[in-house]
Amino acid sequence: MRNSQDPSPHSTTVESLSQAVFTVNRHAKTAINPKYLYSLKKQALQKMINEGKATKVGLHFSNNPRFSQQQSDVLVDCGMYTFHIPPAKSDFENLPHLGTLDKTTRNPKCRMSLGEAKLILEKYTGMKEKKETSQGAYGRTYQKPVFKKLGDSY
């Protein structure tokens, strides 16, 4: 007999979407290909903001500024979770600056696999991960080296 609950609910509720974004964000920090996971997070949060499921709260100074000494990130409130995304130019004019990040505030834990989280967010945003081909960047395939015996020429 099956349970009445589906083990992997793929609904677009604020709670399930925010848990999926939290899971993707947590795995992106140690992933082999973090670029796709961060873009999936950003697209999902942008769509949630546009639909009114999430709100931009303000700007925080970034803990890890890239090329400058100061950099700000947009704080996004989404259900019981908060996230940071890169700011747009209009965010500096429209949002208040909240100063430094409060290190005592934490997101609640959730148990969701990365595969399930990616499935929820890909279904929600319509994004698809591009699979890398086995060929290199220039289209060449790997060719084994040929060794010749001493004195032989090829």
Side-chain angles (χ1 to χ4, degrees):
M1 280 180 73
R2 285 187 62 139
N3 289 340
S4 60
Q5 293 181 345
D6 189 342
S8 58
H10 302 297
S11 62
T12 55
T13 64
V14 175
E15 184 179 340
S16 67
L17 288 171
S18 58
Q19 287 179 352
V21 171
F22 175 77
T23 303
V24 165
N25 190 41
R26 185 181 65 213
H27 282 84
K29 296 175 189 334
T30 58
I32 296 169
N33 182 13
K35 188 179 255 187
Y36 173 70
L37 294 178
Y38 281 127
S39 64
L40 185 63
K41 168 194 163 188
K42 185 178 176 186
Q43 289 290 331
L45 286 174
Q46 287 291 350
K47 187 171 179 182
M48 290 173 75
I49 289 167
N50 293 341
E51 292 178 353
K53 295 180 179 180
T55 56
K56 291 182 179 180
V57 177
L59 295 163
H60 268 155
F61 286 124
S62 178
N63 286 341
N64 304 314
R66 253 191 275 170
F67 301 115
S68 62
Q69 293 181 359
Q70 270 186 349
Q71 182 177 340
S72 294
D73 294 324
V74 176
L75 179 67
V76 178
D77 187 30
C78 178
M80 295 172 47
Y81 294 84
T82 57
F83 304 102
H84 286 101
I85 58 172
K89 288 195 184 253
S90 62
D91 292 334
F92 289 103
E93 299 166 1
N94 301 331
L95 296 175
H97 208 292
L98 306 173
T100 58
L101 179 66
D102 180 19
K103 296 185 193 265
T104 60
T105 306
R106 294 279 181 193
N107 283 330
K109 301 286 185 210
C110 78
R111 294 197 180 270
M112 182 183 286
S113 69
L114 178 61
E116 183 180 351
K118 281 172 61 175
L119 193 66
I120 290 171
L121 294 182
E122 285 173 349
K123 185 177 177 184
Y124 181 66
T125 61
M127 286 181 66
K128 295 288 180 205
E129 186 172 11
K130 294 177 185 159
K131 299 292 180 188
E132 294 290 325
T133 59
S134 62
Q135 295 181 350
Y138 300 106
R140 290 189 232 155
T141 57
Y142 178 74
Q143 189 174 13
K144 289 184 178 180
V146 177
F147 296 102
K148 57 184 180 177
K149 294 178 185 173
L150 191 60
D152 288 349
S153 62
Y154 285 98

